[in-house]
């Protein structure tokens, strides 16, 4: 049975009402029927029926989807355009491979920690040196490349594999993820600081790899499963109460999508279920065990809002926990911004290959942030942090984008 045959029944549940038009950000930018769930679903069905070929227009429609999941919320029938687009991408991968070469190279690099480390070192060394000498190249295809931080040493090489506390009440493992390891290492340190301040012994396995989400999103299930197996086998033998993930996208992959990846593997699936039951997004876990507010100290008053990453709000349904944590911080004035759960335009590689569309989406998000009157935007996804900060800088605004863990860590005295 082909990939599209597996989802054919779901393709037929779309009643073509057009409610998805109200929520789809790519449609609001482009205005074409092929850039909304209804149109994409009809194209996928036409391919499944053999009525159209896998031409450039079809690939453009499928690959430009943000996978934000907003269409399923608007759909009266609950049709998941995201799942159908992912099936179409998997079908494309099986028939044509991942194209163009730049996308294939990026996905292969992300899947391999050694290649990814070399790529970050090259960019942080020669790449940054060249960029700093050339005026006018702050952004590449809408991405703030000059402002992108590169860790001088990967986080996993900066810390021991086990961090003890005086009187441990909890024992957790920290799944770091690619960008916290190679770029936002200070945020990774904030996660550890908050956990240890709240009496958590932290295990940090050094043999961690990419969760597999980039490959999964573009239909390379074989590579995604390989990385998933490595991740599961690495963390399951640690005798811990939770696996902490400080990236909303990684958390959704580890907590939900691993179950889909191995749904038909009856031998390995029980192990997957044990693993996924342990996965907790950072703010989800901290809200569960409670932040020790007696150790918090006041800092300069600050107005803060929160941006919901797509994988958090529509993937693992974690929305109230980060807000609760932010509101608990001394002298933080929390302000809810308009459309807090609106996609920021990052969406993995979409921002690079559909940069004009992504930039328009980011600009609207930046306007919502400006209108809220805050100084700091907190969020729970490294990709969102980089996308939002770049977008804010691009339009000349002054807000600082921070991870929730960074704000909490700042409220603890060393």
């Amino acid at each position: 049975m082909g990939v599209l045959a597996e989802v054919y029944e779901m393709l037929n549940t779309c009643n073509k009402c057009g409610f998805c038009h109200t929520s789809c950000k790519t449609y609001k930018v482009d205005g074409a029927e092929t850039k909304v769930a209804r149109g994409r679903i009809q194209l996928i069905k036409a391919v499944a029926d053999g009525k159209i070929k896998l031409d450039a227009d079809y690939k453009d429609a499928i690959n430009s989807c943000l996978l934000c999941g907003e269409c399923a919320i608007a759909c009266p029938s609950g049709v998941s355009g995201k799942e159908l687009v992912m099936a179409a991408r998997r079908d494309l991968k099986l028939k044509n491979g991942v194209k163009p070469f730049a996308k294939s190279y990026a996905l292969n690099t992300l899947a391999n920690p050694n290649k990814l480390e070399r790529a970050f070192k090259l960019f942080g060394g020669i790449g940054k040196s060249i960029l700093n000498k050339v005026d006018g190249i702050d952004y590449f295809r809408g991405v703030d490349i000059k402002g992108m931080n590169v860790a001088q040493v990967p986080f996993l090489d900066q810390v021991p594999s086990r961090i003890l506390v005086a009187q441990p009440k909890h024992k957790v493992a920290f799944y770091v993820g690619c960008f916290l390891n190679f770029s936002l290492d200070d945020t990774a340190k904030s996660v550890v600081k908050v956990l240890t301040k709240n009496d958590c012994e932290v295990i940090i396995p050094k043999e961690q790899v990419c969760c597999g989400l980039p490959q999964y999103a573009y239909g390379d299930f074989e590579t995604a499963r390989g990385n998933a197996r490595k991740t599961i086998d690495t963390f399951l033998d640690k005798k811990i109460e939770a696996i902490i993930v400080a990236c909303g996208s990684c958390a959704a992959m580890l907590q939900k999508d691993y179950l889909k990846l191995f749904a038909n593997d009856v031998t390995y699936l029980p192990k997957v279920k044990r693993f996924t039951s342990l996965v907790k997004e950072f703010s989800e876990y901290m809200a569960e065990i409670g932040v020790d507010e007696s150790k918090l100290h006041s800092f300069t008053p600050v107005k803060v809002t929160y941006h919901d990453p797509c994988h958090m709000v529509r993937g693992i349904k974690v929305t109230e926990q980060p807000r609760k944590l932010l509101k608990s911080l001394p002298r933080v004035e929390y302000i809810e911004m308009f459309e807090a759960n609106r996609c920021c335009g990052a969406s993995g590689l979409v921002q690079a290959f559909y940069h004009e569309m992504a930039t328009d989406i980011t600009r609207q998000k930046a306007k919502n942030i400006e209108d809220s009157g805050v100084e700091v935007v907190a969020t729970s996804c490294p990709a969102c942090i980089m996308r939002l900060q770049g977008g804010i800088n691009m339009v000349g605004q002054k807000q600082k984008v921070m991870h929730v863990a960074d704000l909490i860590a700042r409220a603890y005295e060393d």
Side-chain angles (χ1 to χ4, degrees):
M1 179 183 290
V3 175
L4 298 187
E6 295 174 9
V7 298
Y8 194 79
E9 184 176 343
M10 192 190 304
L11 288 169
N12 285 312
T13 58
C14 173
N15 61 22
K16 309 178 186 67
C17 67
F19 272 83
C20 52
H21 291 64
T22 64
S23 63
C24 182
K25 303 301 175 284
T26 58
Y27 174 76
K28 289 183 178 181
V29 170
D30 190 279
E33 180 68 15
T34 55
K35 296 295 172 64
V36 70
R38 182 176 69 179
R40 288 184 173 113
I41 290 170
Q42 295 313 304
L43 287 174
I44 298 168
K45 186 173 184 298
V47 167
D49 291 336
K51 294 180 179 179
I52 65 173
K53 296 181 179 180
L54 306 178
D55 59 17
D57 289 339
Y58 174 77
K59 293 174 184 177
D60 179 68
I62 299 307
N63 288 322
S64 61
C65 178
L66 297 169
L67 301 181
C68 67
E70 292 193 42
C71 56
I73 304 300
C75 177
S77 302
V79 179
S80 177
K82 170 185 173 180
E83 296 299 324
L84 292 171
V85 165
M86 287 181 64
R89 288 184 181 180
R90 186 181 173 204
D91 180 62
L92 280 171
K93 166 66 172 61
L94 292 172
K95 293 175 179 176
N96 290 348
V98 176
K99 297 177 181 178
F101 171 77
K103 183 183 291 182
S104 176
Y105 180 80
L107 292 173
N108 288 333
T109 300
L110 287 166
N112 186 304
N114 294 324
K115 290 181 179 179
L116 188 57
E117 181 174 358
R118 287 196 295 269
F120 267 98
K121 283 183 177 178
L122 182 63
F123 175 70
I126 297 174
K128 284 279 190 177
S129 178
I130 293 173
L131 285 172
N132 290 332
K133 293 177 181 178
V134 181
D135 293 330
I137 310 185
D138 292 347
Y139 298 88
F140 176 72
R141 300 183 72 82
V143 178
D144 182 10
I145 53 174
K146 187 173 283 189
M148 184 183 295
N149 183 63
V150 176
Q152 292 188 351
V153 177
F155 171 76
L156 287 173
D157 292 335
Q158 297 180 38
V159 294
S161 58
R162 185 181 183 188
I163 300 176
L164 302 174
V165 293
Q167 295 179 315
K169 295 179 181 177
H170 312 279
K171 184 179 179 181
V172 301
F174 180 19
Y175 176 81
V176 180
C178 300
F179 280 92
L180 288 185
N181 187 32
F182 295 113
S183 179
L184 303 180
D185 56 319
D186 284 342
T187 295
K189 293 172 188 174
S190 293
V191 172
V192 172
K193 181 177 181 179
V194 174
L195 289 171
T196 54
K197 288 287 186 180
N198 287 277
D199 304 313
C200 296
E201 178 182 326
V202 184
I203 306 298
I204 308 176
K206 297 303 184 76
E207 58 273 29
Q208 299 187 36
V209 296
C210 172
C211 66
L213 176 58
Q215 297 75 31
Y216 179 66
Y218 282 95
D220 186 358
F221 280 26
E222 182 178 352
T223 301
R225 283 196 191 98
N227 277 32
R229 281 182 179 271
K230 290 178 185 177
T231 301
I232 293 167
D233 293 341
T234 294
F235 280 84
L236 258 191
D237 63 349
K238 303 302 180 185
K239 296 180 181 178
I240 48 175
E241 69 178 60
I243 299 167
I244 309 303
V245 189
C247 167
S249 298
C250 293
M253 183 67 181
L254 271 60
Q255 200 178 92
K256 301 292 184 182
D257 293 327
Y258 277 13
L259 293 169
K260 298 174 186 176
L261 265 179
F262 294 99
N264 298 321
D265 190 337
V266 294
T267 303
Y268 197 65
L269 187 59
K271 195 171 186 179
V272 179
K273 289 180 177 179
R274 291 199 305 274
F275 172 86
T276 58
S277 69
L278 293 171
V279 176
K280 298 283 186 180
E281 189 276 326
F282 168 78
S283 59
E284 180 183 21
Y285 182 73
M286 292 312 304
E288 186 177 293
I289 68 170
V291 171
D292 186 348
E293 297 184 18
S294 68
K295 298 178 183 177
L296 297 176
H297 74 282
S298 297
F299 45 73
T300 304
V302 62
K303 295 180 179 179
V304 178
T305 193
Y306 181 74
H307 160 71
D308 290 285
C310 295
H311 284 102
M312 291 273 285
V313 63
R314 287 173 288 277
I316 58 175
K317 315 290 187 195
V318 174
T319 59
E320 292 305 316
Q321 295 93 323
R323 288 170 169 82
K324 177 183 177 182
L325 293 172
L326 293 171
K327 292 174 183 177
S328 72
L329 299 179
R331 306 185 80 179
V332 163
E333 180 184 350
Y334 181 80
I335 299 172
E336 187 75 9
M337 72 167 150
F338 178 62
E339 292 185 328
N341 62 2
R342 178 191 179 102
C343 179
C344 68
S347 187
L349 297 179
V350 170
Q351 62 184 316
F353 290 94
Y354 295 91
H355 61 99
E356 292 181 355
M357 176 188 75
T359 298
D360 282 348
I361 293 169
T362 306
R363 282 197 181 111
Q364 181 58 57
K365 189 76 183 189
K367 183 180 184 302
N368 292 346
I369 293 168
E370 178 80 357
D371 291 346
S372 70
V374 299
E375 301 148 275
V376 172
V377 184
T379 190
S380 305
C381 174
C384 292
I385 290 172
M386 290 187 283
R387 184 72 199 176
L388 287 170
Q389 192 65 72
I392 286 169
N393 295 345
M394 188 183 292
V395 296
Q397 294 174 198
K398 303 299 183 182
Q399 295 84 14
K400 173 70 174 174
V401 186
M402 301 175 68
H403 194 283
V404 172
D406 289 320
L407 273 167
I408 301 174
R410 199 172 74 169
Y412 280 112
E413 290 183 306
D414 291 322

